[in-house]
Amino acid sequence: MTLISNSNVSGSTNVSFSSISGSYKQLYLYWNNVSVSSSSGVWSLRFNNDSGANYDISRIVTTSSVSTANIDGADSIAEIIYGGSSSSPQHGFIMIDNYSSNSQRRFFEGQWVNNETPKGYMVVGQYDNTSTAITSLDIVRTSGTTTISGTFRLCGWLS
């Protein structure tokens, strides 16, 4: 695994990793000690900042009980960072396979936790836009007016 980029953000409304080389087999995005400026706000992950209905997701969410959802045609991988506060850091990762293909679906899987509730998320899914390789990962605020701070790392698997 090779570190592609390390981003320490403070008071941001989005985080972007752009111009990603197609020379890796998989991408691995990891976030650690991410805090939110208040309890409202949702950040989602988009590939190439694509907000089209190109994400098919199966998701398990745990709180005091377990809920599941299958979402076909979502506009992002939603809620990778959700509400919280600086005293409730969030951690997680997502792995994207075959990201450099411009003719096949790309598969992803990930896990993250919001320590505020607490909530645990596990997702698997596919990105249906097969016309272009993934060259950027964009964590965008999709709800609320809050900001995020913390560390985001993007790595590539060589084999």
Side-chain angles (χ1 to χ4, degrees), residues 99-116:
Y99 75 97
S100 62
S101 174
N102 59 5
S103 63
Q104 298 176 350
R105 294 179 176 162
R106 277 54 56 89
F107 296 93
F108 55 85
E109 61 181 292
Q111 298 178 20
W112 51 90
V113 64
N114 168 352
N115 290 325
E116 188 75 14

Side-chain angles (χ1 to χ4, degrees), residues 44-45 47 52-61 68-80 94 106 108-110 112 121-128:
S44 301
L45 177 64
F47 304 144
N54 291 310
Y55 305 83
D56 297 335
I57 302 165
S58 292
R59 179 172 79 182
I60 299 171
V61 179
T68 62
N70 290 314
I71 306 160
D72 290 335
D75 65 0
S76 63
I77 303 170
E79 300 178 353
I80 68 164
I94 191 159
R106 277 54 56 89
F108 55 85
E109 61 181 292
W112 51 90
Y121 291 82
M122 294 187 311
V123 300
V124 296
Q126 65 185 17
Y127 180 57
D128 287 339

Side-chain angles (χ1 to χ4, degrees), residues 18-62:
S18 60
S19 301
I20 300 170
S21 164
S23 61
Y24 303 98
K25 300 292 183 193
Q26 299 172 329
L27 295 176
Y28 182 84
L29 176 65
Y30 170 78
W31 56 99
N32 186 32
N33 287 324
V34 172
S35 61
V36 178
S37 61
S38 73
S39 61
S40 67
V42 175
W43 284 264
S44 301
L45 177 64
R46 291 184 176 145
F47 304 144
N48 299 335
N49 209 18
D50 180 357
S51 61
N54 291 310
Y55 305 83
D56 297 335
I57 302 165
S58 292
R59 179 172 79 182
I60 299 171
V61 179
T62 62

